[in-house]
Amino acid sequence: MSARPVSRLIALLTDFGLQDGYVGIMKGVIAQINSQSPIIDITHQILPQDISAGQFCLMNAYPYFPPETVYISVIDPGVGSKRRAIAVQFPRGYYVGPDNGLVSGIFHREKAIAAVELTNPNYWRVSHPSLTFQGRDIFAPVGAYLATGVQLKKLGNTLPIEQLIQFPLSPLQQTETEIIGAIQYIDHFGNLIANIPQENIPFVPWQVQIKNSLIPLGKTYATVNQGELIAFIGSHGWLEIAVNRGNAQDKLGVTIGDNVIIHL
């Protein structure tokens, strides 16, 4: 009996948007090599060149995909430069994309198994890839081959995992009376996600301060009246600040990196 062919799921994350044809072109390249693997779009609406937001979205999507998913992730302001193109194997999947910190969030979830620099042109679309669209010429075809079961070591030169670029988790300042963190992500609704995970918050009453605003604790958006601020643990497991039927970013006038203080 012949072995059953491998067709791993492919997940795409980019900052390409949906107005242009870039995402469709990548899917076309994948289909030319491997038309059997299903493709799921995580998002293509990351703000241009926002690697930090991309790594946050990739980190939070990772637990909800089946084992051995291939994550083709392209937010690549250094495209065409000396930045490395890489593939990394994790216990539950593979990352294919630039070595610029985009994969950092997955590193915070689990330890990598192996990594390679994508130096083997036999698995590229062309031997002389574009200097501006390597999502099409390198990452899409490499991901497509990985999804068919091609071994990681065939894709290029082995890299020591510790040499890969990683963003460290932002440090928290914590005392008996307060936890000081920062806004790490702002979603489509203007909800503010802090870098304070649920496990760091003691089971005691608390409220949140951002600038001069004190925000009460709740469990869901509808805990307060329309237009009022509320703080709670979001579905992703991080502290979240929102406005019932409104936009917390606009209401508070904040941005990524601004301080968030939990008063215990």
Side-chain angles (χ1 to χ4, degrees), residues 108-131:
H108 298 322
R109 290 195 175 276
E110 60 185 21
K111 188 176 181 179
I113 296 171
V116 298
E117 184 174 3
L118 303 178
T119 54
N120 186 348
N122 291 328
Y123 296 98
W124 301 353
R125 189 185 71 87
V126 290
S127 57
H128 298 285
S130 166
L131 294 179

Side-chain angles (χ1 to χ4, degrees), residues 206 215-233 240 242-245:
W206 51 273
I215 304 162
L217 169 65
K219 293 184 177 180
T220 183
Y221 305 105
T223 306
V224 296
N225 295 325
Q226 183 173 338
E228 292 182 347
L229 288 156
I230 188 72
F232 52 89
I233 302 300
E240 181 172 338
V243 171
N244 184 10
R245 303 188 188 183

Side-chain angles (χ1 to χ4, degrees), residues 39-112:
I39 301 174
I40 293 178
D41 300 290
I42 297 174
T43 181
H44 300 292
Q45 300 287 41
I46 302 294
L47 292 177
Q49 293 89 50
D50 194 342
I51 298 170
S52 179
Q55 69 89 25
F56 178 84
C57 290
L58 184 60
M59 170 181 65
N60 283 297
Y62 184 76
Y64 302 102
F65 282 76
E68 298 199 335
T69 294
V70 178
Y71 299 86
I72 304 175
S73 306
V74 190
I75 300 173
D76 196 11
V79 62
S81 70
K82 292 182 179 180
R83 73 93 184 91
R84 293 178 294 203
I86 61 171
V88 185
Q89 182 180 1
F90 291 92
R92 296 190 69 258
Y94 299 84
Y95 166 86
V96 177
D99 181 23
N100 60 8
L102 184 55
V103 70
S104 295
I106 300 181
F107 274 111
H108 298 322
R109 290 195 175 276
E110 60 185 21
K111 188 176 181 179

